[in-house]
Amino acid sequence: MLDPVKVGVLGLGTVGGGVVNVLRRNAQEITRRAGRGIQVTHASVRELSKKRLCSTNGMILTEHPMDIVNRDDIEVVVELIGGTSRAFDLVMKAISSGKHVVTANKALIALHGNQIFAEAQKAGVNVAFEAAVAGGIPIIKAIREGLSGNKINWVAGIINGTTNFILSEMREKGRAFGEVLKEAQALGYAEADPTFDVEGIDAAHKLTILSAIAFGIPLNFNAVYTEGITKIERMDVEYAEQFGYRIKHLGFARMSEQGVEMRVHPTLIPHGRLIANVNGVMNAVLVNGDAVGSTLYYGAGAGSEPTASAVVSDLVDVVRTLTVDPENRVPHLAFQPDAISRNVRFLDISEVETAYYLRIRADDRPGVLADIARILSETGISIEAVSQKEPPEGVKQANIVLLTHRVKEKHMNEAIRRIEALPQTSGQVKRIRAEMLP
Ligand code: NDP
Ligand code: HSE
C-alpha cells in the first residue's frame, strides 16, 4: 500500500478536534475505504497552551497556519478556522500551491466560492465542503451526485442547529432565548459570532450553497432574503400551536419560470409534517426533484463529531480522487463550470408567494375585525383562520391572530401598511410566513 496522505489541519477547535479524533478512532475503516492512510502531521491553533478536544501527540502544532500551507509534504489542507479573510488567504494559497482543500466554512464558500472554485479548476485541485451545510448530513453529495438525474424544483430545510435548538427549548421547556443561546455556545454549536446564527446569516450562507448546487447557478449570497429568530415571541409560538403549526427557522429555495427565490426566515409549518418535528440541534433538508419527488435528509446539524464525519468523508473522497484525471472529477458546484446558468433572474422577496400568520394589536371592540377583513379582501388576501385573544386584566387591546392563504408579499405589505394605519390598531403587525410542505 502507498504511504499515508499527509494532511495539515488549520484550526483545532470544535470541528478540528473532532476530525483528529474520528480519523484516529476509525483509522482502519478509513484506510480500507480510501485506499491509503490519512495522517494529520501538522495542525495550527491561535493559542498553543489551550486544552484541546483531541490529543496532539504525533503532530506538529504551530501558531502559523501559512507555514503548514507552504510545506511541500502536505497534500491536503483542512481549513477549520472560520471567517472569510484569513481563511480566504490560506485556501487560495493552498490552491495555488497545488494542494487539495477541505473546509467546513460556509461563509467562505458562500461569499468567495465562485473565485475559489475557478482557481481550483485552473490548478486541477479539489475543494470539498460537505460540512459547510447541515453538519453531518451528506446533503451536498446527495444533491450533487445522488439526485443528478433530476431537475431540482425546490429545496427547503432547517439548516441551522443553534436556532433550531433555541426554538425547540423555548417551545418544549419554556426556557429563555439568551440562556439557551449560551448553552448552544458551550456545546460548540454556535458560530464564533452567534449573531450569524440568530439573525439567519449562517442559514443564508448555507442556502446560497444549496441553491447553487441544486439549480446550477453561481453562488449569490446577496440575493438571499434573510430574517432571523430574534423577533419571535413566546406568544407567537403558542398561538401558532393553537392553529396546529410549529414555528421553525427555514431556508427555502425554488427555481421557477419567474426566476430563483432564496429566503431564510421563521416559518409556520403544520405540526404533522416530518420537518416540523425536527428538534434540538438536528437539521433536515427536503429536496424536491422532478423524477424522485420529495426526499428528506435528517441528522445532527452541528457539533464536533457530526461535523467531523462530513469533513472526514471529504478527506476520503479527496484521497480516492488523487489518482483521477482532474477533468473527470465531480464538479465543485455539481454542474460543469461552463454549464452554469449565469443569466438567471433572482426574485425579490416582494415577488415571492407564501401563506402568512399575522398578529395584530387592536382595540377590543366591535367592528375592528370587520375593518381588518375588509382590507385583506380589498388586497386580494383570503383568510384561512382567525382567532381573537382576550387581553389580560387591565389591558385595553387584544391580539387578533390570523392565518391567510398564499399571496404575493407585495400585496401583504400593502395590507399590513393599511392595517397599521387603522386608528383602532397599534404597533407593528407581526408577520410570520407559512409553508405547507410535504
Ligand atoms: P472553533 O472556534 O471551535 O475553532 C476555531 C479554530 O481556529 C481554533 O483552533 C482557533 O484556535 C483557530 N483560530 C481561530 N481564529 C484564528 C485565526 N485568526 N488564526 C489562526 N487560527 C485561528 O470553531 P469551530 O470548530 O466551531 O468552527 C470551525 C469552522 O467550521 C467554521 O468555519 C464554522 O463555521 C464551521 N462549522 C462549525 C460547526 C460546528 O458545529 N461548530 C459545524 C459546521 C461548520 P484556538 O483553539 O487556539 O483558539
Ligand atoms: N453554527 C452552525 C449551526 C454550525 O448552528 O448550525 C453548523 O454549521
Side-chain angles (χ1 to χ4, degrees), residues 340-366:
I340 287 179
S341 310
R342 297 195 187 270
N343 295 325
V344 67
R345 177 170 177 251
F346 290 96
L347 297 188
D348 185 76
I349 189 73
S350 62
E351 295 296 326
V352 165
E353 202 180 274
T354 64
Y356 288 86
Y357 159 100
L358 300 180
R359 174 163 57 79
I360 304 158
R361 282 188 62 193
D363 294 345
D364 187 20
R365 57 184 161 87

mmCIF file of all heavy atoms in Angstrom, residues 340-366:
data_model
loop_
_atom_site.group_PDB
_atom_site.id
_atom_site.type_symbol
_atom_site.label_atom_id
_atom_site.label_comp_id
_atom_site.label_asym_id
_atom_site.label_seq_id
_atom_site.Cartn_x
_atom_site.Cartn_y
_atom_site.Cartn_z
ATOM 1 N N ILE A 340 -22.854 26.421 -16.077
ATOM 2 C CA ILE A 340 -23.601 27.114 -15.008
ATOM 3 C C ILE A 340 -24.414 28.260 -15.629
ATOM 4 O O ILE A 340 -23.897 29.015 -16.452
ATOM 5 C CB ILE A 340 -22.614 27.594 -13.917
ATOM 6 C CG1 ILE A 340 -22.149 26.357 -13.132
ATOM 7 C CG2 ILE A 340 -23.233 28.629 -12.993
ATOM 8 C CD1 ILE A 340 -21.166 26.598 -12.052
ATOM 9 N N SER A 341 -25.705 28.374 -15.249
ATOM 10 C CA SER A 341 -26.575 29.419 -15.830
ATOM 11 C C SER A 341 -26.240 30.756 -15.192
ATOM 12 O O SER A 341 -26.503 30.953 -14.001
ATOM 13 C CB SER A 341 -28.044 29.117 -15.543
ATOM 14 O OG SER A 341 -28.343 27.813 -15.890
ATOM 15 N N ARG A 342 -25.690 31.651 -15.985
ATOM 16 C CA ARG A 342 -25.262 32.933 -15.408
ATOM 17 C C ARG A 342 -26.299 34.028 -15.568
ATOM 18 O O ARG A 342 -26.215 35.070 -14.946
ATOM 19 C CB ARG A 342 -23.937 33.376 -16.031
ATOM 20 C CG ARG A 342 -22.886 32.351 -15.688
ATOM 21 C CD ARG A 342 -21.468 32.736 -15.889
ATOM 22 N NE ARG A 342 -20.675 31.542 -15.642
ATOM 23 C CZ ARG A 342 -20.193 31.188 -14.463
ATOM 24 N NH1 ARG A 342 -20.387 31.937 -13.410
ATOM 25 N NH2 ARG A 342 -19.510 30.061 -14.324
ATOM 26 N N ASN A 343 -27.301 33.816 -16.439
ATOM 27 C CA ASN A 343 -28.281 34.888 -16.669
ATOM 28 C C ASN A 343 -29.569 34.685 -15.884
ATOM 29 O O ASN A 343 -30.614 35.169 -16.268
ATOM 30 C CB ASN A 343 -28.623 34.968 -18.160
ATOM 31 C CG ASN A 343 -27.403 35.371 -18.942
ATOM 32 O OD1 ASN A 343 -26.591 36.161 -18.449
ATOM 33 N ND2 ASN A 343 -27.237 34.801 -20.123
ATOM 34 N N VAL A 344 -29.470 33.951 -14.804
ATOM 35 C CA VAL A 344 -30.671 33.636 -14.046
ATOM 36 C C VAL A 344 -31.219 34.890 -13.352
ATOM 37 O O VAL A 344 -30.460 35.784 -12.973
ATOM 38 C CB VAL A 344 -30.346 32.514 -13.039
ATOM 39 C CG1 VAL A 344 -29.400 32.981 -11.978
ATOM 40 C CG2 VAL A 344 -31.574 31.934 -12.435
ATOM 41 N N ARG A 345 -32.553 34.949 -13.223
ATOM 42 C CA ARG A 345 -33.175 36.091 -12.531
ATOM 43 C C ARG A 345 -33.445 35.682 -11.081
ATOM 44 O O ARG A 345 -34.048 34.629 -10.838
ATOM 45 C CB ARG A 345 -34.480 36.425 -13.254
ATOM 46 C CG ARG A 345 -35.257 37.536 -12.605
ATOM 47 C CD ARG A 345 -36.422 38.003 -13.475
ATOM 48 N NE ARG A 345 -37.162 39.021 -12.754
ATOM 49 C CZ ARG A 345 -38.374 38.855 -12.245
ATOM 50 N NH1 ARG A 345 -39.028 37.729 -12.435
ATOM 51 N NH2 ARG A 345 -38.953 39.819 -11.572
ATOM 52 N N PHE A 346 -32.982 36.474 -10.133
ATOM 53 C CA PHE A 346 -33.268 36.210 -8.716
ATOM 54 C C PHE A 346 -34.467 37.051 -8.300
ATOM 55 O O PHE A 346 -34.493 38.259 -8.558
ATOM 56 C CB PHE A 346 -32.046 36.548 -7.844
ATOM 57 C CG PHE A 346 -30.911 35.579 -8.040
ATOM 58 C CD1 PHE A 346 -29.871 35.871 -8.914
ATOM 59 C CD2 PHE A 346 -30.907 34.357 -7.384
ATOM 60 C CE1 PHE A 346 -28.837 34.967 -9.116
ATOM 61 C CE2 PHE A 346 -29.876 33.453 -7.570
ATOM 62 C CZ PHE A 346 -28.835 33.753 -8.438
ATOM 63 N N LEU A 347 -35.467 36.405 -7.687
ATOM 64 C CA LEU A 347 -36.685 37.120 -7.330
ATOM 65 C C LEU A 347 -36.484 37.932 -6.057
ATOM 66 O O LEU A 347 -35.909 37.443 -5.086
ATOM 67 C CB LEU A 347 -37.830 36.139 -7.089
ATOM 68 C CG LEU A 347 -38.279 35.295 -8.277
ATOM 69 C CD1 LEU A 347 -39.539 34.515 -7.917
ATOM 70 C CD2 LEU A 347 -38.548 36.164 -9.495
ATOM 71 N N ASP A 348 -37.018 39.161 -6.085
ATOM 72 C CA ASP A 348 -37.052 39.966 -4.871
ATOM 73 C C ASP A 348 -38.121 39.365 -3.960
ATOM 74 O O ASP A 348 -39.108 38.788 -4.436
ATOM 75 C CB ASP A 348 -37.420 41.406 -5.246
ATOM 76 C CG ASP A 348 -37.340 42.304 -4.032
ATOM 77 O OD1 ASP A 348 -36.209 42.637 -3.645
ATOM 78 O OD2 ASP A 348 -38.394 42.651 -3.452
ATOM 79 N N ILE A 349 -37.954 39.522 -2.649
ATOM 80 C CA ILE A 349 -38.920 38.938 -1.707
ATOM 81 C C ILE A 349 -40.343 39.461 -1.983
ATOM 82 O O ILE A 349 -41.324 38.747 -1.770
ATOM 83 C CB ILE A 349 -38.473 39.175 -0.231
ATOM 84 C CG1 ILE A 349 -39.337 38.394 0.761
ATOM 85 C CG2 ILE A 349 -38.440 40.633 0.119
ATOM 86 C CD1 ILE A 349 -39.111 36.927 0.786
ATOM 87 N N SER A 350 -40.499 40.664 -2.517
ATOM 88 C CA SER A 350 -41.846 41.200 -2.781
ATOM 89 C C SER A 350 -42.590 40.376 -3.835
ATOM 90 O O SER A 350 -43.809 40.411 -3.916
ATOM 91 C CB SER A 350 -41.756 42.665 -3.215
ATOM 92 O OG SER A 350 -41.011 42.747 -4.408
ATOM 93 N N GLU A 351 -41.847 39.626 -4.646
ATOM 94 C CA GLU A 351 -42.459 38.810 -5.703
ATOM 95 C C GLU A 351 -42.773 37.394 -5.232
ATOM 96 O O GLU A 351 -43.359 36.591 -5.963
ATOM 97 C CB GLU A 351 -41.497 38.694 -6.906
ATOM 98 C CG GLU A 351 -41.208 40.003 -7.610
ATOM 99 C CD GLU A 351 -42.470 40.590 -8.238
ATOM 100 O OE1 GLU A 351 -43.319 39.812 -8.699
ATOM 101 O OE2 GLU A 351 -42.617 41.826 -8.212
ATOM 102 N N VAL A 352 -42.352 37.074 -4.014
ATOM 103 C CA VAL A 352 -42.472 35.697 -3.534
ATOM 104 C C VAL A 352 -43.861 35.472 -2.930
ATOM 105 O O VAL A 352 -44.434 36.369 -2.307
ATOM 106 C CB VAL A 352 -41.361 35.437 -2.486
ATOM 107 C CG1 VAL A 352 -41.625 34.192 -1.677
ATOM 108 C CG2 VAL A 352 -40.013 35.376 -3.184
ATOM 109 N N GLU A 353 -44.381 34.260 -3.122
ATOM 110 C CA GLU A 353 -45.726 33.964 -2.617
ATOM 111 C C GLU A 353 -45.656 32.966 -1.464
ATOM 112 O O GLU A 353 -45.032 31.915 -1.585
ATOM 113 C CB GLU A 353 -46.509 33.340 -3.776
ATOM 114 C CG GLU A 353 -47.988 33.449 -3.633
ATOM 115 C CD GLU A 353 -48.700 32.809 -4.812
ATOM 116 O OE1 GLU A 353 -48.888 33.484 -5.829
ATOM 117 O OE2 GLU A 353 -49.040 31.611 -4.706
ATOM 118 N N THR A 354 -46.272 33.314 -0.331
ATOM 119 C CA THR A 354 -46.397 32.361 0.782
ATOM 120 C C THR A 354 -47.727 32.618 1.482
ATOM 121 O O THR A 354 -48.392 33.621 1.215
ATOM 122 C CB THR A 354 -45.300 32.546 1.868
ATOM 123 O OG1 THR A 354 -45.452 33.834 2.469
ATOM 124 C CG2 THR A 354 -43.906 32.396 1.349
ATOM 125 N N ALA A 355 -48.092 31.711 2.391
ATOM 126 C CA ALA A 355 -49.191 31.986 3.314
ATOM 127 C C ALA A 355 -48.599 32.767 4.495
ATOM 128 O O ALA A 355 -47.370 32.822 4.652
ATOM 129 C CB ALA A 355 -49.802 30.674 3.773
ATOM 130 N N TYR A 356 -49.459 33.358 5.314
ATOM 131 C CA TYR A 356 -48.976 34.197 6.418
ATOM 132 C C TYR A 356 -49.730 33.950 7.716
ATOM 133 O O TYR A 356 -50.930 33.665 7.702
ATOM 134 C CB TYR A 356 -49.143 35.687 6.085
ATOM 135 C CG TYR A 356 -48.188 36.172 5.043
ATOM 136 C CD1 TYR A 356 -48.507 36.045 3.698
ATOM 137 C CD2 TYR A 356 -46.968 36.726 5.382
ATOM 138 C CE1 TYR A 356 -47.631 36.468 2.719
ATOM 139 C CE2 TYR A 356 -46.081 37.149 4.423
ATOM 140 C CZ TYR A 356 -46.413 37.017 3.085
ATOM 141 O OH TYR A 356 -45.530 37.428 2.124
ATOM 142 N N TYR A 357 -48.997 34.126 8.802
ATOM 143 C CA TYR A 357 -49.573 34.279 10.143
ATOM 144 C C TYR A 357 -49.434 35.760 10.463
ATOM 145 O O TYR A 357 -48.357 36.334 10.274
ATOM 146 C CB TYR A 357 -48.747 33.434 11.115
ATOM 147 C CG TYR A 357 -48.820 33.787 12.586
ATOM 148 C CD1 TYR A 357 -49.636 33.066 13.452
ATOM 149 C CD2 TYR A 357 -48.035 34.821 13.128
ATOM 150 C CE1 TYR A 357 -49.668 33.370 14.819
ATOM 151 C CE2 TYR A 357 -48.064 35.123 14.480
ATOM 152 C CZ TYR A 357 -48.884 34.394 15.310
ATOM 153 O OH TYR A 357 -48.922 34.688 16.648
ATOM 154 N N LEU A 358 -50.513 36.385 10.926
ATOM 155 C CA LEU A 358 -50.455 37.798 11.309
ATOM 156 C C LEU A 358 -50.927 37.942 12.747
ATOM 157 O O LEU A 358 -51.913 37.294 13.143
ATOM 158 C CB LEU A 358 -51.374 38.648 10.421
ATOM 159 C CG LEU A 358 -51.114 38.650 8.908
ATOM 160 C CD1 LEU A 358 -52.134 39.540 8.214
ATOM 161 C CD2 LEU A 358 -49.703 39.133 8.587
ATOM 162 N N ARG A 359 -50.249 38.766 13.526
ATOM 163 C CA ARG A 359 -50.755 39.107 14.872
ATOM 164 C C ARG A 359 -50.893 40.620 14.946
ATOM 165 O O ARG A 359 -49.930 41.351 14.691
ATOM 166 C CB ARG A 359 -49.806 38.599 15.967
ATOM 167 C CG ARG A 359 -50.238 39.084 17.357
ATOM 168 C CD ARG A 359 -49.574 38.286 18.484
ATOM 169 N NE ARG A 359 -48.130 38.288 18.444
ATOM 170 C CZ ARG A 359 -47.356 39.299 18.870
ATOM 171 N NH1 ARG A 359 -47.895 40.423 19.332
ATOM 172 N NH2 ARG A 359 -46.038 39.187 18.807
ATOM 173 N N ILE A 360 -52.112 41.040 15.258
ATOM 174 C CA ILE A 360 -52.436 42.472 15.216
ATOM 175 C C ILE A 360 -52.933 42.900 16.592
ATOM 176 O O ILE A 360 -53.828 42.257 17.153
ATOM 177 C CB ILE A 360 -53.550 42.714 14.164
ATOM 178 C CG1 ILE A 360 -53.106 42.173 12.790
ATOM 179 C CG2 ILE A 360 -53.939 44.191 14.092
ATOM 180 C CD1 ILE A 360 -54.240 41.869 11.845
ATOM 181 N N ARG A 361 -52.363 43.972 17.125
ATOM 182 C CA ARG A 361 -52.875 44.506 18.409
ATOM 183 C C ARG A 361 -53.963 45.515 18.091
ATOM 184 O O ARG A 361 -53.730 46.503 17.383
ATOM 185 C CB ARG A 361 -51.746 45.181 19.189
ATOM 186 C CG ARG A 361 -50.864 44.150 19.865
ATOM 187 C CD ARG A 361 -49.879 44.806 20.768
ATOM 188 N NE ARG A 361 -50.543 45.538 21.841
ATOM 189 C CZ ARG A 361 -49.913 46.408 22.635
ATOM 190 N NH1 ARG A 361 -48.642 46.659 22.466
ATOM 191 N NH2 ARG A 361 -50.569 47.020 23.599
ATOM 192 N N ALA A 362 -55.165 45.250 18.607
ATOM 193 C CA ALA A 362 -56.292 46.108 18.233
ATOM 194 C C ALA A 362 -57.216 46.311 19.416
ATOM 195 O O ALA A 362 -57.259 45.487 20.346
ATOM 196 C CB ALA A 362 -57.059 45.453 17.082
ATOM 197 N N ASP A 363 -58.002 47.429 19.356
ATOM 198 C CA ASP A 363 -58.967 47.704 20.424
ATOM 199 C C ASP A 363 -59.961 46.546 20.511
ATOM 200 O O ASP A 363 -60.372 45.995 19.485
ATOM 201 C CB ASP A 363 -59.748 48.995 20.120
ATOM 202 C CG ASP A 363 -58.824 50.212 20.164
ATOM 203 O OD1 ASP A 363 -57.698 50.063 20.695
ATOM 204 O OD2 ASP A 363 -59.207 51.265 19.646
ATOM 205 N N ASP A 364 -60.342 46.248 21.742
ATOM 206 C CA ASP A 364 -61.274 45.130 21.950
ATOM 207 C C ASP A 364 -62.712 45.649 21.846
ATOM 208 O O ASP A 364 -63.410 45.769 22.843
ATOM 209 C CB ASP A 364 -60.984 44.531 23.338
ATOM 210 C CG ASP A 364 -61.772 43.264 23.575
ATOM 211 O OD1 ASP A 364 -62.224 42.657 22.589
ATOM 212 O OD2 ASP A 364 -61.950 42.909 24.754
ATOM 213 N N ARG A 365 -63.112 46.028 20.627
ATOM 214 C CA ARG A 365 -64.496 46.495 20.474
ATOM 215 C C ARG A 365 -65.033 46.104 19.091
ATOM 216 O O ARG A 365 -64.247 45.802 18.176
ATOM 217 C CB ARG A 365 -64.612 47.988 20.731
ATOM 218 C CG ARG A 365 -63.768 48.898 19.901
ATOM 219 C CD ARG A 365 -63.979 50.335 20.421
ATOM 220 N NE ARG A 365 -62.936 51.235 20.028
ATOM 221 C CZ ARG A 365 -62.916 51.905 18.880
ATOM 222 N NH1 ARG A 365 -63.882 51.752 18.004
ATOM 223 N NH2 ARG A 365 -61.922 52.726 18.615
ATOM 224 N N PRO A 366 -66.376 46.125 18.939
ATOM 225 C CA PRO A 366 -66.982 45.630 17.695
ATOM 226 C C PRO A 366 -66.508 46.433 16.470
ATOM 227 O O PRO A 366 -66.204 47.616 16.582
ATOM 228 C CB PRO A 366 -68.495 45.836 17.912
ATOM 229 C CG PRO A 366 -68.683 46.068 19.366
ATOM 230 C CD PRO A 366 -67.392 46.596 19.909
#
